[in-house]
Amino acid sequence: MIYRFRVILDNDTEDDIFRDIEIRETDSLEDLHNTITQSFGFDGLEMASFYVSNDAWEQGEEISMFDVSEGANAVRTMSETVLNDIVHEAQTKLIYVYDFLNMWTFFVELAEIVDEAEGADYPNLMYVHGQIPDTAPEKAFEAEDLDDDFNELDDDIDVGDYDNLDFDENWN
């Protein structure tokens, strides 16, 4: 079977920038990574990761290019992960981040599963819309709103009264 993905650049402009890609369900995430980088004109030399995502586009499990965990907690790698193991009709969304210095971020969604066309070459770039900007769109990293009643400095300790602080509070 052939997976048809729409890969959309996460940007804050009114311009939609996306690519429609066909790839075999038995290809690896590394194959998808290579197809995405080529279709957007990247050289493919920067680090990248896929993240499993839910319908709200929340970032889940990371699948990276290389296992850099140093044996602590082995992570899945793109070359060892087959597309149909991670993406299927019930799990259609991935987030793809390319070049961690610039944080090119893409929403990757499985749009359709079709039969392989006889004589077709895969992966296949089906459609191109919009041109990628020269620089990655700015990312706003914001923390979740904390309870308005929370004050991290409200601990009932008088830091001016050093004589009454015990050892643990004086440490540091």
Side-chain angles (χ1 to χ4, degrees), residues 4 7 9-10 12-14 19 24 28 35-36 40-41 52 61 71 74 105 110 115 121 126 138 142-145 157:
R4 288 184 176 161
V7 182
L9 175 65
D10 178 17
D12 291 333
T13 68
E14 292 181 17
R19 308 291 185 261
R24 287 184 180 92
S28 70
T35 304
I36 291 170
F40 281 96
V52 176
E61 176 191 4
T105 304
L110 177 63
D115 291 326
D121 288 329
M126 296 173 48
E138 295 275 330
E142 299 173 2
E144 294 179 20
D145 289 336
I157 295 176

Side-chain angles (χ1 to χ4, degrees), residues 46 97-105 134-139:
E46 301 297 331
V97 178
Y98 176 75
D99 184 356
F100 290 113
L101 293 177
N102 291 304
M103 296 296 289
W104 291 96
T105 304
D134 292 335
T135 59
E138 295 275 330
K139 295 284 177 256

Side-chain angles (χ1 to χ4, degrees), residues 154-166:
D154 187 17
D155 55 10
D156 295 330
I157 295 176
D158 180 7
V159 293
D161 187 12
Y162 292 108
D163 294 334
N164 290 328
L165 296 177
D166 66 16

Side-chain angles (χ1 to χ4, degrees), residues 42-105:
F42 295 121
D43 58 19
L45 300 176
E46 301 297 331
M47 288 293 297
S49 284
F50 284 97
Y51 298 89
V52 176
S53 181
N54 60 18
D55 287 337
W57 293 106
E58 295 172 325
Q59 185 174 308
E61 176 191 4
E62 178 181 14
I63 303 166
S64 64
M65 290 179 70
F66 306 104
D67 183 357
V68 293
S69 64
E70 298 179 6
N73 292 326
V75 294
R76 289 164 90 163
T77 61
M78 290 182 199
S79 63
E80 298 171 346
T81 305
V82 177
L83 278 170
N84 63 12
D85 285 345
I86 200 79
V87 178
H88 41 77
E89 290 170 345
Q91 169 58 52
T92 61
K93 296 180 179 181
L94 298 169
I95 297 171
Y96 173 69
V97 178
Y98 176 75
D99 184 356
F100 290 113
L101 293 177
N102 291 304
M103 296 296 289
W104 291 96
T105 304

